[in-house]
Amino acid sequence: MSDEQNTESFSQERANRLPDVPIPPELIQDIPEEKRRELIQYVNSIYVEHSSGPMPPPSMLASYTPEVQQIIVDESVQHGRHRMTLEQRVIDASIHQERRGMWLGFVLALSLILCGTAIILSGYSAEGLALIAADALAIAVVYVHDRRGKES
């Protein structure tokens, strides 16, 4: 058989196929014609519907009785409320933790400044100024780092 005959045969086979067949011809060429048509009809009849989340797709939900539909919808609403409650708790805990960190930082910085002042008053001015300067530098670094993190 020549290449021209193969091409013509392939074109005829393609024309005889049912429309919208997702099966490549090389996969079904060894199947007898009658079985091939059945296979193509079967593949064309397959309908896949995908959904994500607690609710089934509307077509599937419609196939249930009204009582079951109501149970599914109620469960979905309850699931949504539960998720929102959990997310709110996480947000509130994060805010609380951030506030606590700010207060602890304030207390630590104030304590170091007071210790530096006490050191200066006891006659060690260089050491006291070094402690206060280190404290101010640490506060500035934390502030700048926090601002850069929020900008990103």
Side-chain angles (χ1 to χ4, degrees), residues 26-132:
E26 56 273 4
L27 293 179
I28 60 172
Q29 65 189 3
D30 295 335
I31 299 174
E33 182 66 30
E34 183 179 304
K35 294 288 183 187
R36 188 181 318 158
R37 289 208 172 271
E38 287 178 29
L39 177 65
I40 291 171
Q41 286 175 343
Y42 175 74
V43 169
N44 282 339
S45 70
I46 295 174
Y47 176 74
V48 177
E49 191 168 9
H50 173 75
S51 72
S52 63
M55 286 287 290
S59 60
M60 186 182 292
L61 187 62
S63 67
Y64 295 116
T65 63
E67 294 84 18
V68 174
Q69 288 177 0
Q70 189 61 44
I71 290 170
I72 292 172
V73 169
D74 289 346
E75 287 291 323
S76 175
V77 168
Q78 184 179 2
H79 176 77
R81 285 187 185 137
H82 175 68
R83 255 189 101 107
M84 286 189 288
T85 301
L86 289 178
E87 290 172 2
Q88 189 61 46
R89 284 183 181 172
V90 168
I91 291 168
D92 290 344
S94 176
I95 291 170
H96 180 70
Q97 183 178 6
E98 194 169 313
R99 282 187 183 153
R100 186 177 345 136
M102 286 177 16
W103 278 109
L104 289 174
F106 171 75
V107 169
L108 179 63
L110 185 63
S111 299
L112 289 174
I113 290 172
L114 290 176
C115 286
T117 305
I119 291 172
I120 291 171
L121 292 176
S122 63
Y124 298 97
S125 61
E127 291 84 357
L129 286 174
L131 183 61
I132 293 174

